[in-house]
Amino acid sequence: MKTCIFIMAIAMGMMSACNRKPSVPKGEFLIQGELKDVPDGTVLRLDKSNKGLIETLAKDTLKDGKFSFRDTISSLRNLMIGSMDQGFPPDWLEVWVKPGTYMRITGKSKLILSWRVESDVPEQADENSFVDCLMPEQMEMMAYMADEYDWLKKAYFFPADDVDAAFKKKARAKVDSIRKLEKPLQAVLTKKELNFMKTAPVSKTWMKRMLWFTSLLHTGRMPYEAELKELYTRIPEAERQTVNGQAITKYLFPLPTVEVGDQMVDGDLYDMEGKLRHLSEFKGRYILLDFWSLGCGACVYSVPVVKRICSQYADRLTVVCINENLEKDWKKYVVEEKLEGNQWNELLPANTGLSARYNIDGIPAFVLISPDGIVLEKCSGYSSLVERVTKHLSQR
């Protein structure tokens, strides 16, 4: 009898040790993961997003099926775990961490949204519920996305030296065929998620999803405007006054857009010193608006083109560069890259201010305004910018 009791005590002690969570200091978080059917050597990233600009905080290489991330933290934060290795979809597992958080992640494949996240953070429970509501269609979509991403990496993003035009043509055909399968499935997933949002709590995760869906309205890729307006009625007034709430309101109920031939619209902008500025300061001159963002390669390549225009028409044209990133990131970049001229920012969520009024879809984007305030040209990309500007200024 004593032997049985002794054995039971040992077993219970072992179970307790296995279930015990690691101790995490109040100013830190700890994420530990264990994956099956994912090869050792896989590199996982912990990222954060700043208005669409992805910043990698840490990387870890899978060893014996395990990975971990640990860092300091002072408040609740939404982070993302992903991988660029073969077989992974170009997507992230979203995780919510706060001071003292311990998080356990388990998975059985490279389809990252199928991984299970265990955490005591309430926001993570909301995130898990959104992920769960989209299964099993989400698994099918991730498989398509992973296949598409692998073809794009092999042919265009990270091509080997022997990749030729024939292989690129084959890859393009494969990607096109995959996207034909993705399109109807994406419609199913969107509708399913919107239906779930009708009864799900209006949480931070709910608001984040709502912000994403409403931001797509101006692109024509979101056909459910009526459903989104119905969901909007669920948002409490206090939430509507938050940054995300105000952005959602502007996306759903936008002011009229300005097209070629219309009178220009103005707005509150801020320069590098934090001074309030307006486009009307340059009335009587041509104004070229340059909408850009960090992480946009084409925006970087357009800089010398814009400089050339500034120099050629310095006597009658003013360029106003309008950035859409967070203030600290924007100012740091301008200083480090020694950008010149009128570097301004509305300090608003992306595509809710002047970019929305001028119906900007894709950057870099340029708007040419006449001395009397009439919109003369609008274009995305910089390849024909010199010709477009010259066409108007050479005639006057």
Side-chain angles (χ1 to χ4, degrees):
M1 183 66 178
K2 289 182 179 179
T3 302
C4 291
I5 294 174
F6 179 69
I7 292 173
M8 289 177 62
I10 292 176
M12 292 178 66
M14 292 177 64
M15 290 176 63
S16 176
C18 290
N19 294 328
R20 191 180 299 127
K21 297 179 182 178
S23 177
V24 182
K26 290 184 178 180
E28 297 182 8
F29 69 84
L30 172 62
I31 300 172
Q32 292 183 330
E34 187 169 353
L35 307 176
K36 296 180 179 179
D37 298 327
V38 179
D40 281 356
T42 295
V43 177
L44 297 166
R45 304 193 333 259
L46 182 68
D47 299 332
K48 70 174 182 178
S49 175
N50 281 334
K51 296 181 76 169
L53 183 66
I54 304 301
E55 177 184 347
T56 298
L57 301 176
K59 295 181 180 180
D60 193 28
T61 301
L62 198 67
K63 183 178 181 181
D64 297 328
K66 297 179 181 179
F67 70 90
S68 68
F69 295 110
R70 188 171 201 146
D71 204 351
T72 57
I73 192 171
S74 58
S75 60
L76 179 70
R77 185 186 295 176
N78 181 213
L79 302 177
M80 307 175 297
I81 297 175
S83 176
M84 296 183 67
D85 286 14
Q86 185 174 354
F88 280 85
D91 209 337
W92 292 273
L93 181 70
E94 299 208 34
V95 296
W96 293 84
V97 294
K98 64 181 183 180
T101 298
Y102 170 70
M103 178 175 292
R104 175 176 164 78
I105 297 175
T106 55
K108 297 180 180 180
S109 75
K110 296 180 180 180
L111 303 183
I112 199 163
L113 293 182
S114 67
W115 298 357
R116 304 306 304 168
V117 182
E118 300 173 31
S119 167
D120 293 333
V121 179
E123 288 79 6
Q124 188 63 50
D126 289 331
E127 191 71 44
N128 292 349
S129 68
F130 271 86
V131 173
D132 291 342
C133 87
L134 299 178
M135 299 300 177
E137 292 88 352
Q138 187 68 274
M139 293 286 285
E140 186 178 359
M141 176 60 82
M142 281 190 294
Y144 287 146
M145 291 172 64
D147 193 16
E148 175 189 343
Y149 194 37
D150 283 344
W151 278 104
L152 288 172
K153 285 187 291 187
K154 286 185 288 187
Y156 299 99
F157 301 160
F158 313 108
D161 293 337
D162 59 349
V163 167
D164 56 14
F167 183 83
K168 288 184 177 181
K169 183 178 180 179
K170 177 182 177 182
R172 185 75 263 172
K174 288 291 294 184
V175 168
D176 289 343
S177 66
I178 294 169
R179 288 179 177 174
K180 287 179 181 178
L181 298 172
E182 290 175 346
K183 188 173 181 179
L185 186 57
Q186 185 59 62
V188 171
L189 286 165
T190 300
K191 191 68 174 178
K192 197 171 183 180
E193 192 161 10
L194 290 173
N195 286 335
F196 179 73
M197 291 174 70
K198 292 179 181 179
T199 56
V202 181
S203 61
K204 285 183 172 62
T205 298
W206 192 100
M207 289 290 289
K208 196 164 177 283
R209 295 296 205 283
M210 186 70 170
L211 179 63
W212 168 246
F213 284 140
T214 54
S215 72
L216 295 176
L217 285 172
H218 81 286
T219 69
R221 291 184 286 136
M222 173 50 66
Y224 302 115
E225 182 176 352
E227 288 86 343
L228 289 170
K229 287 183 175 179
E230 181 182 348
L231 287 173
Y232 182 80
T233 64
R234 298 194 63 214
I235 303 176
E237 184 59 34
E239 285 293 333
R240 293 184 187 183
Q241 299 309 314
T242 63
V243 172
N244 281 354
Q246 292 180 50
I248 289 168
T249 302
K250 289 182 178 180
Y251 285 138
L252 267 178
F253 308 102
L255 294 170
T257 58
V258 179
E259 303 299 337
V260 172
D262 292 340
Q263 185 70 30
M264 62 171 273
V265 294
D266 208 341
D268 291 345
L269 296 119
Y270 299 87
D271 62 20
M272 288 288 289
E273 287 71 46
K275 183 180 177 182
L276 181 63
R277 307 297 297 266
H278 295 97
L279 302 178
S280 58
E281 297 173 30
F282 306 115
K283 188 176 181 180
R285 293 174 61 85
Y286 287 93
I287 305 172
L288 181 65
L289 305 183
D290 175 3
F291 293 90
W292 68 286
S293 173
L294 305 182
C296 166
C299 297
V300 175
Y301 298 140
S302 72
V303 170
V305 177
V306 175
K307 280 187 176 181
R308 174 184 165 189
I309 293 172
C310 285
S311 176
Q312 185 173 351
Y313 300 108
D315 59 329
R316 49 195 166 131
L317 179 140
T318 297
V319 176
V320 178
C321 301
I322 303 177
N323 179 268
E324 62 179 32
N325 293 103
L326 292 174
E327 183 176 8
K328 63 181 181 66
D329 298 321
W330 157 60
K331 288 185 175 180
K332 179 182 177 183
Y333 186 86
V334 169
V335 171
E336 290 180 347
E337 298 300 320
K338 300 179 181 178
L339 300 184
E340 302 173 350
N342 302 296
Q343 299 294 334
W344 295 359
N345 193 316
E346 292 184 274
L347 306 181
L348 293 172
N351 208 47
T352 60
L354 287 179
S355 62
R357 296 301 308 274
Y358 285 101
N359 198 23
I360 300 303
D361 184 17
I363 52 175
F366 301 92
V367 178
L368 180 65
I369 301 170
S370 72
D372 54 354
I374 302 300
V375 177
L376 300 175
E377 282 280 353
K378 292 170 59 178
C379 64
S380 293
Y382 62 92
S383 60
S384 62
L385 183 61
V386 173
E387 291 79 4
R388 286 170 178 262
V389 172
T390 301
K391 177 182 71 173
H392 293 281
L393 273 72
S394 63
Q395 296 174 357
R396 307 196 180 204

